[in-house]
């Protein structure tokens, strides 16, 4: 059973520890959407929480919530339960509650602009970096987050590639489908890669970890972009 979150912000953000990082995974609540492409942001939060022994058993700011330390670095984990298009109603209040600058906030989300299983850790990418329907879909997905962060688009993002819809398939239908066996295998590998880069980020910072990680993922992108899923 989930508990309503009641803990001292003053304790978790005290001068005795470094300022927390907030990791927000996007998805849709409920068993109906579990395992779908649109919910890989939730899966990334769960994978990281499990790897670090952080319990996701509280409710805070409309999100399933967990907190813990990785070494001496405090980490806040959230899965908004507002449905994807209202995720900012959770992410914005969480960042405000802990008085976090946007360079301590990372949003995990699916991305049709990347091959299935390819990741990108990016900051300061605005609405998505290019035009087209896939960038437009990404912006629409993040619109609520941007709005609830007072219009600021400069938060970091861990983009999780899910591939493009086949043929003329509606992207909205595509993201609500579950992964096939091959795609599921690629996503499971990607989630573990995501856990490792997030651990690196907590020790080395965003800029250095993104530089190393994105170089590795660039070669993975080249290898996977022409392979079926």
């Amino acid at each position: 059973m989930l508990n309503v979150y009641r803990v001292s912000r003053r304790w978790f953000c005290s001068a005795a520890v470094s300022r927390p990082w907030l990791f927000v995974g996007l998805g849709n609540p409920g068993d109906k959407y579990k395992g779908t492409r649109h919910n890989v942001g939730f899966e990334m939060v769960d994978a990281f929480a499990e790897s670090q022994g952080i319990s996701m058993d509280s409710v805070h700011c409309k999100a399933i919530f967990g907190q813990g330390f990785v070494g001496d670095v405090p980490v806040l984990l959230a899965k908004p339960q507002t449905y994807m298009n209202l995720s900012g109603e959770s992410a914005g209040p969480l960042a405000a509650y802990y008085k976090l600058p946007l360079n301590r906030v990372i949003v995990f989300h699916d991305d049709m602009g990347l091959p299935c299983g390819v990741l990108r850790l990016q900051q300061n990418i605005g609405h998505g970096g290019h035009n087209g329907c896939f960038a437009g879909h990404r912006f629409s997905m993040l619109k609520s987050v941007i709005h609830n962060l007072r219009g600021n688009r400069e938060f970091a993002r861990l983009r999780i590639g899910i591939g493009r819809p086949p043929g003329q398939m509606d992207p909205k239908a595509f993201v609500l489908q579950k992964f096939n066996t091959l795609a599921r295998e690629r996503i499971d590998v990607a989630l573990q890669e995501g856990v490792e880069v997030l651990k690196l980020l907590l020790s080395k910072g965003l800029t250095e970890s993104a530089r190393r990680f994105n170089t590795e993922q660039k070669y993975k992108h080249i290898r996977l972009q022409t392979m079926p899923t």
Side-chain angles (χ1 to χ4, degrees):
M1 179 179 295
L2 296 176
N3 299 310
V4 176
Y5 179 72
R6 301 183 187 280
V7 73
S8 170
R9 170 181 54 190
R10 184 177 302 173
W11 173 81
F12 204 63
C13 300
S14 71
V17 297
S18 61
R19 180 170 283 175
W21 285 86
L22 172 61
F23 295 165
V24 181
L26 303 190
N28 290 313
D31 291 341
K32 175 181 177 181
Y33 299 103
K34 187 175 181 179
T36 62
R37 295 179 175 92
H38 226 13
N39 272 35
V40 291
F42 277 8
E43 292 191 36
M44 189 71 253
V45 169
D46 287 337
F48 186 82
E50 182 178 358
S51 75
Q52 302 304 305
I54 298 174
S55 297
M56 300 293 295
D57 58 359
S58 300
V59 175
H60 187 32
C61 293
K62 301 182 181 180
I64 294 177
F65 184 80
Q67 65 162 6
F69 287 86
V70 178
D72 60 356
V73 180
V75 180
L76 310 166
L77 304 176
K79 298 191 296 182
Q81 299 297 289
T82 55
Y83 289 93
M84 182 76 79
N85 63 344
L86 296 176
S87 297
E89 293 181 3
S90 174
L94 279 168
Y97 182 85
Y98 289 99
K99 300 181 179 179
L100 297 177
L102 291 190
N103 63 6
R104 305 295 281 195
V105 177
I106 302 182
V107 176
F108 311 154
H109 64 85
D110 61 283
D111 196 314
M112 290 187 292
L114 293 171
C116 184
V118 173
L119 304 178
R120 286 287 187 277
L121 178 59
Q122 295 181 290
Q123 57 184 331
N124 303 333
I125 61 174
H127 61 77
H130 58 82
N131 296 319
C133 65
F134 298 120
H137 180 266
R138 184 189 310 140
F139 176 71
S140 176
M141 180 170 54
L142 294 170
K143 186 176 180 180
S144 175
V145 176
I146 294 167
H147 174 74
N148 284 275
L149 292 174
R150 299 183 179 181
N152 198 317
R153 304 176 182 182
E154 305 306 311
F155 53 91
R157 305 165 200 186
L158 181 60
R159 299 162 51 203
I160 305 167
I162 59 170
R164 300 193 174 198
Q168 300 299 312
M169 185 177 185
D170 183 353
K172 293 180 180 179
F174 177 72
V175 298
L176 295 179
Q177 283 187 342
K178 296 182 183 294
F179 293 101
N180 63 30
T181 301
L182 177 57
R184 181 73 258 175
E185 291 174 355
R186 291 186 186 177
I187 290 296
D188 288 343
V189 170
L191 293 175
Q192 294 310 307
E193 293 173 344
V195 167
E196 293 305 312
V197 75
L198 292 171
K199 289 161 55 180
L200 181 65
L201 178 152
L202 295 173
S203 63
K204 298 294 185 181
L206 179 59
T207 301
E208 175 63 15
S209 55
R211 182 187 65 80
R212 295 188 195 180
F213 184 67
N214 291 335
T215 297
E216 297 172 359
Q217 291 292 309
K218 178 180 178 180
Y219 294 108
K220 185 178 182 181
H221 186 154
I222 294 171
R223 178 167 53 85
L224 291 182
Q225 65 183 345
T226 59
M227 297 176 66
T229 53

